[in-house]
Each structure stands twice: as C-alpha cells, then as structure tokens.
Amino acid sequence: MAELAKEAGITVRTLRFYRERKLIPPPRREGRIAWYNEHHLARLRTIGALLERGHTLGGIGELLAAFESGRDVGELLGLDAPLVPPWSEETPVRLTPEELADHFRNDITPENLTASLDIGYLAVDGDEFVHISRRLLDASTELVNKGVPLAAVLEAGRQVRAHADALADLFTTLIRTYVLTDVLPSTPTDGPPAPQDVDRIADTLDTLRPLPKGVVEAELSMAMDRRIRREIEQWLRACGGEGKEGEEGREGEPG
C-alpha cells in the first residue's frame, strides 16, 4: 500500500480513505498480503486529475460508478466478425477519464456519462473510454465549446440516431425487396448462407454503398437550406415590423 501511495503521489491515509469510499477496487489478496496493480494506480491518477479539474469526491464516485457500469468496448464496436464488410468508416477514439473531462469540462456529469454509455457513444475498455467515432466526438466538442449544453447535444444525438435507424430500415427494405430478391430467398433459415450467396450480397452492398449516403447528404443539405431561409425570413419580418412600428410612432408625434 505504501508503494502504491508513493507512486500516486498521495499519503497512505488518503489511499485508505479512497478505498473506504470505494473509489478504487479492492486489491487481490493472498492470505494477509494485499496486491495492488497498474489499474489501481491508473484509478488513483484519474481521481487526482478530476480533483484538479474541480470535481468533488462525491461526484467522482458517481462518475466512476457510471464508468464501471458501461458497456464493453466489443459490444459497442461490434467486433464479432460480420458476413459482409461494415458500411461505417468511423475511427474510434481512446480517452482516459481525465481526457474526456478536458473535452467537455463541467458538462461531465454522471447523468451525461450514463446517457453517452446508453446511446452507445462511449464504451469502457479497462481504465479508458472508447468513443465510437472521431467525427462525432469532434462535433460534440465543438457544439459544447459554442455554448450548447452537453445534455442537449446528447438528446439531439439520440434523435438523430433514431432517424438514422429509420433511414437504414428504409434503404435496407428497398435493397432486400427489389435488388436481392434472387439471393435472400435461397438463403436457408436454419443455417449459414452459402458462400456464393454471401459473395453476391457483399458485392451488391459494396456497389450500392455510396447511394444511401449520397441521398441522405443531398436531402439534409437541401432541408437545411429550406430551414435556414425560413428562419431568416421570419427574422427579417420581425425586424421589419418593429421598424415600421417605430416609424409610425415617430410620424404621429407632434412637431
């Protein structure tokens, strides 16, 4: 225990206090000997880093509880070997808890952490987090830096995920119904598909890969144009109305 405390830069008394508060996992015991390892040291350094960032021990305890209840990284990233190559080209990002706190500052709360784990943006891998997408992480960080609360970003992400799932269902139905009708019915339901069927499905999906992305990008871009024009028109009408009211007031004033 003394060696671990020295390595972490804290006192043995502080280490005992953290253990009593269950901020670090119990050591492995062999008889009367307690063995600590690099995971305990990483946890102590995380606690110290979060304390330096203004988090309380109570808040850190809640964050660590949410951290430990997170889904496994394999579950998040879908590491089971798929029959066909994945469509996603996202790059996962590994983050220590303190690095995650640097991204979102005071918005790192147990509620937001739990929401991120629930949506599937984050998973836990040992003493680190894994964010599913560099692009989504950068977008979320930028929105928070612009003043959007992380809770609002996560709620928007949850809604975007639901719409994206609906779009994926739509395109999958089109492909299954009109493109792969000669392959999917021949796939046995009580066993794996034949190799030639898998090759045909993989080749077809690879050929069609750009189409749904292009359609969604085009429609979203046009929808944003329509929405922004409406917002600007409403703002101009409001400004124009206020200006006319001011002019009418001045015209009615006695000379």
Side-chain angles (χ1 to χ4, degrees), residues 112-202:
N112 286 339
L113 184 56
T114 299
S116 299
L117 293 166
D118 180 57
I119 295 171
Y121 284 166
L122 291 178
V124 175
D125 187 22
D127 296 313
E128 295 181 315
F129 288 108
V130 177
H131 196 289
I132 195 171
S133 166
R134 163 62 69 183
R135 291 194 295 178
L136 291 177
L137 175 62
D138 290 345
S140 299
T141 302
E142 183 66 19
L143 288 170
V144 170
N145 288 339
K146 294 296 185 182
V148 182
L150 181 56
V153 172
L154 293 173
E155 178 55 31
R158 193 186 296 274
Q159 295 183 40
V160 169
R161 173 70 61 83
H163 290 301
D165 285 341
L167 288 170
D169 287 342
L170 174 62
F171 285 112
T172 301
T173 300
L174 289 175
I175 294 171
R176 183 179 65 248
T177 304
Y178 298 104
V179 182
L180 292 174
T181 53
D182 60 330
V183 175
L184 294 181
S186 66
T187 300
T189 58
D190 57 349
Q196 64 270 21
D197 289 339
V198 173
D199 291 341
R200 168 70 191 285
I201 294 171

Side-chain angles (χ1 to χ4, degrees), residues 233 235-253:
E233 289 169 359
W235 176 69
L236 290 175
R237 282 198 297 270
C239 291
E242 292 175 1
K244 290 180 179 179
E245 290 176 2
E247 292 175 1
E248 291 174 357
R250 285 192 296 273
E251 289 175 358
E253 293 176 359

